[in-house]
Amino acid sequence: MNAVSSPTITPQEPRAWRGLPRVVWVLMLARAVNRVGAFTLPFLGVVLAVEFGASMGETGAALAVFGAATVPSRLLGGQLADRLGRRRTIVLGLTGCAIAQLWIAVNHSLWSAVMATLLLGLVFEIYEPPSQAMIADVTTPFERPRAYGVYSAALAAAGVLAGLVAAAISHWDLRWLFAVDALTCLACAALVARALPNDVRRQQHNEDGKVWRDRRLLILLAGGTVFATIYMQLVIGVPLTLLEHNLPESGTGIILAVSAATLIVAQRVLRTQHLDDFRAIAIGYLLVAVGLVVVAFAHSLATFLAAAVLWSLGELFLLTRYLTQASGLAPNKARGRYLAVFGLSWGIATTIAPLTVTELLETAGPAGLWLTTAAAAVAMAALQPWFRKRLAPA
């Protein structure tokens, strides 16, 4: 059957600044534009609780609905990336996000807000598989850690501004955050549509069954799900923990800015190329664990900021290496679907994290929540030799 895929780069094609293809930098710029407004997810639980009067249990359930909806969203993004094309799929996903965000911004009832949250989940992950696949399409295996690292650093750079904007806007009606995010989604979609190369149609066979039968991909999915759950617990749990300690809502924006600034500085200062993926991942989990322990006993914004530096350093090691491993497993013609299946870790995590965060906050308090999460991070660091053995080529 006919399908669409993005073009690949030949060795003779001119490369962009510092050796990376132009496509990487276009994607980086487009996502940076979107990132300036993409500060709504950490505030989604707060908006449901503060603006719509949802209880802690209702907030957790609504966020779990959002997370469950991102699972088919990610799979759809992978299918469309390999069949409809990378560029078209990115534009479609971002436009859908803008519509859902505007719905949240303008509605005035909890029921309508929950339905808008469901729609947001259904479109939220569509653009991720084609973005990640396009980077893998135009880079060599040696270049990919650097390409994904630069991509992450660009998001972090925009995140500094995003955090400050979030801190400023959160003093007013929090629904303004969603209106601003909708506008940046549309701006990002317009940039992608104009600047990325046209999708090229080519012959492709259906290999969906092979994707799900790849044992190494499923093992990597399990490990990635643990990381994604820890990450999402931070995204959802830190704003709620600030509320538990009667700290200002604007503190979340400041924490986001510090986290992003840490990623930028660390990306330029740290030299981690000599580390293999499994050692880098183990180091990343240990840094995250230390940051989580600090969060468990934090009662001031300054302490939360110190913790953000630690967990952000860990995330730098983890996110880029997991993406490098996933893209390395994928055959070229099924890369979008492979990355979509691996990306299900985020949908699963976004479903689990709201429930675990709200349940542990109610039963064990902030200390119980973050110490439990820190223990999971330490366990994953210790398991990296096991993952090394299981993920070795057959």
Side-chain angles (χ1 to χ4, degrees), residues 37-108:
F39 40 63
T40 54
L41 188 56
F43 288 92
L44 184 55
V46 179
V47 167
L48 292 172
V50 174
E51 301 293 334
F52 298 103
S55 67
M56 189 68 76
E58 290 171 334
T59 298
L63 293 177
V65 167
F66 168 84
T70 65
V71 173
S73 174
R74 175 78 68 156
L75 290 174
L76 178 61
Q79 289 285 342
L80 293 177
D82 287 338
R83 303 181 188 283
L84 180 64
R86 318 298 202 214
R87 188 183 70 167
R88 291 186 183 97
T89 304
I90 295 170
V91 171
L92 178 65
L94 289 168
T95 303
C97 283
I99 293 170
Q101 300 268 22
L102 285 174
W103 185 0
I104 293 174
V106 302
N107 79 77
H108 294 284

